[in-house]
């Protein structure tokens, strides 16, 4: 597995002119759909004069390297043009459990450091196209960038997935996200109830006229199948509010922390080993 990790980092470097600051284990990668365009890192360097706030861009991830190659340089340039100070964290799940987006976001929050004061929970396959989209500090409450009026797929009014900004204070008020959602889906719906439960209001973009073309959706369902299976009691559990778990009880270990640049865009890859109590959530595995 370690050899696969070295090969993956070498592949990332050669495919997208990445400069590897440290070589550790990352999951093996398929061939990219297309290489990233070259860019000068100095051209997009962060400037402290952009303001006092700094964004931790949290990207839950597993084996979607072709999307990551497009995502990192696109987001770094997009945020730099908007003068948003930021750090991109790729939250790479390397254990053998089913994918757990919510737990990865909890880990990213805890590992993002004191030099960031707000977060973006950001899908790797969703790229903003409109320069009018706001990624600024969401002081008044959670700001849902990928609103139902703009997201290319999800249009129900309580949807808060895709891209959601929160101050770190507000995320802590919610106790983060539930760790009980193994597999794809429903963790955002539960988080919406947490937001409302602590008295916060969700804000959304206004005045954007590009509709469902506001974002580029990179996901190819024929190539990347989503894990939508519901195992054991998971079918009933997915509609419940987890009143006890979240940020306070996520169990994990950081296997490695790797600084990369992808086409001149810096990011940090956290290789994360989540832990699962099979007596509590037996659906964390397929067995």
């Amino acid at each position: 597995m370690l050899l696969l990790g070295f090969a993956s980092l070498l592949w990332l470097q050669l495919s997208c002119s990445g400069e590897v600051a440290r070589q550790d284990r990352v999951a093996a990668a398929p061939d990219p759909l297309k290489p990233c365009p070259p860019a000068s890192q100095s051209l997009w360097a962060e400037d402290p004069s952009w303001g006092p706030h700094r964004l931790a861009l949290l990207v839950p991830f597993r084996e979607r390297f072709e999307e990551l190659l497009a995502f990192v340089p696109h987001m770094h340039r997009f945020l730099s043009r908007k003068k948003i100070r930021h750090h991109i964290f790729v939250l790479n799940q390397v254990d053998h459990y089913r994918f757990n987006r919510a737990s990865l976001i909890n880990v990213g929050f805890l590992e993002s450091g004191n030099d960031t004061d707000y977060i973006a929970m950001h899908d790797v396959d969703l790229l903003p196209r409109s320069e009018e989209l706001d990624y600024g500090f969401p002081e008044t409450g959670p700001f849902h960038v990928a609103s139902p009026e703009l997201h290319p797929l999800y249009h129900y009014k309580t949807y808060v997935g895709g891209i959601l900004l929160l101050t770190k204070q507000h995320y802590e008020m919610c106790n983060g996200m539930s760790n009980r959602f193994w597999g794809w889906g429903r963790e955002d719906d539960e988080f919406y109830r947490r937001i409302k439960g602590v008295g916060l209001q969700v804000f959304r973009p206004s005045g954007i006229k590009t509709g469902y073309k506001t974002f580029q959706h990179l996901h190819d369902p024929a190539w990347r199948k989503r894990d939508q299976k519901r195992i054991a009691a998971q079918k009933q559990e997915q509609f419940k509010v987890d009143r006890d778990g979240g940020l306070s009880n996520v169990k994990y270990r950081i296997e490695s922390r790797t600084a990369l640049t992808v086409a001149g865009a810096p990011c940090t890859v956290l290789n994360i080993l989540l832990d699962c109590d099979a007596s509590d959530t037996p659906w964390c595995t397929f067995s």
Side-chain angles (χ1 to χ4, degrees):
M1 292 298 292
L2 188 58
L3 289 175
L4 287 176
F6 284 125
S8 298
L9 284 174
L10 179 60
W11 176 88
L12 183 62
Q13 183 179 23
L14 294 176
S15 296
C16 214
S17 302
E19 298 170 4
V20 180
R22 176 180 162 207
Q23 291 190 335
D24 284 302
R25 176 171 169 255
V26 180
D31 291 335
L33 295 177
K34 57 182 179 180
C36 299
S40 169
Q41 185 175 358
S42 61
L43 183 64
W44 306 101
E46 183 177 292
D47 189 331
S49 70
W50 292 353
H53 301 295
R54 195 162 190 253
L55 170 66
L57 195 73
L58 306 182
V59 189
F61 179 80
R62 178 182 262 176
E63 298 177 350
R64 295 168 73 166
F65 278 83
E66 72 282 4
E67 295 170 5
L68 188 66
L69 289 177
F71 179 88
V72 172
H74 178 93
M75 289 308 304
H76 179 59
R77 294 170 199 156
F78 179 86
L79 293 172
S80 296
R81 284 196 302 271
K82 297 181 73 63
K83 298 185 177 181
I84 301 291
R85 299 174 64 209
H86 62 278
H87 190 133
I88 299 172
F89 292 91
V90 180
L91 312 173
N92 185 34
Q93 185 176 339
V94 296
D95 54 69
H96 297 292
Y97 296 118
R98 299 171 70 192
F99 189 65
N100 192 322
R101 177 178 179 270
S103 287
L104 291 175
I105 292 171
N106 285 338
V107 174
F109 178 92
L110 293 170
E111 296 291 331
S112 60
N114 295 325
D115 63 340
T116 58
D117 56 357
Y118 70 114
I119 67 169
M121 300 153 52
H122 210 301
D123 288 352
V124 72
D125 60 4
L126 201 61
L127 303 183
R129 285 173 163 170
S130 172
E131 296 291 333
E132 296 180 30
L133 289 169
D134 186 5
Y135 276 72
F137 187 73
E139 185 171 3
T140 55
F143 186 76
H144 187 210
V145 179
S147 69
E149 296 80 15
L150 304 176
H151 195 283
L153 292 180
Y154 305 113
H155 309 140
Y156 58 97
K157 67 178 183 178
T158 59
Y159 176 66
V160 291
I163 309 166
L164 182 67
L165 309 180
L166 297 96
T167 69
K168 287 193 167 182
Q169 179 184 9
H170 287 160
Y171 194 75
E172 287 179 324
M173 283 174 58
C174 298
N175 191 23
M177 303 184 78
S178 172
N179 300 303
R180 299 178 64 83
F181 290 84
W182 301 90
W184 183 82
R186 297 293 183 186
E187 75 284 342
D188 293 320
D189 296 334
E190 199 272 352
F191 189 61
Y192 176 81
R193 290 177 228 158
R194 289 181 178 230
I195 291 171
K196 304 305 284 187
V198 297
L200 292 173
Q201 179 182 347
V202 176
F203 296 88
R204 292 188 165 111
S206 61
I208 295 179
K209 304 185 186 308
T210 45
Y212 300 150
K213 296 181 179 180
T214 303
F215 300 95
Q216 179 182 1
H217 193 228
L218 300 177
H219 183 77
D220 182 355
W223 165 251
R224 189 72 64 188
K225 301 291 185 182
R226 285 180 168 139
D227 172 13
Q228 295 179 291
K229 292 183 179 179
R230 297 296 180 256
I231 300 171
Q234 187 179 15
K235 189 172 183 179
Q236 292 74 38
E237 288 279 336
Q238 66 182 340
F239 297 107
K240 295 180 180 179
V241 176
D242 179 8
R243 302 192 183 280
D244 300 315
L247 195 60
S248 58
N249 70 346
V250 61
K251 293 180 173 59
Y252 70 97
R253 181 167 61 87
I254 299 296
E255 186 183 67
S256 63
R257 182 184 295 255
T258 305
L260 297 176
T261 60
V262 182
C267 67
T268 297
V269 178
L270 299 179
N271 280 353
I272 299 168
L273 291 157
L274 297 177
D275 191 19
C276 168
D277 181 353
S279 64
D280 185 36
T281 56
W283 51 86
C284 63
T285 66
F286 287 113
S287 59

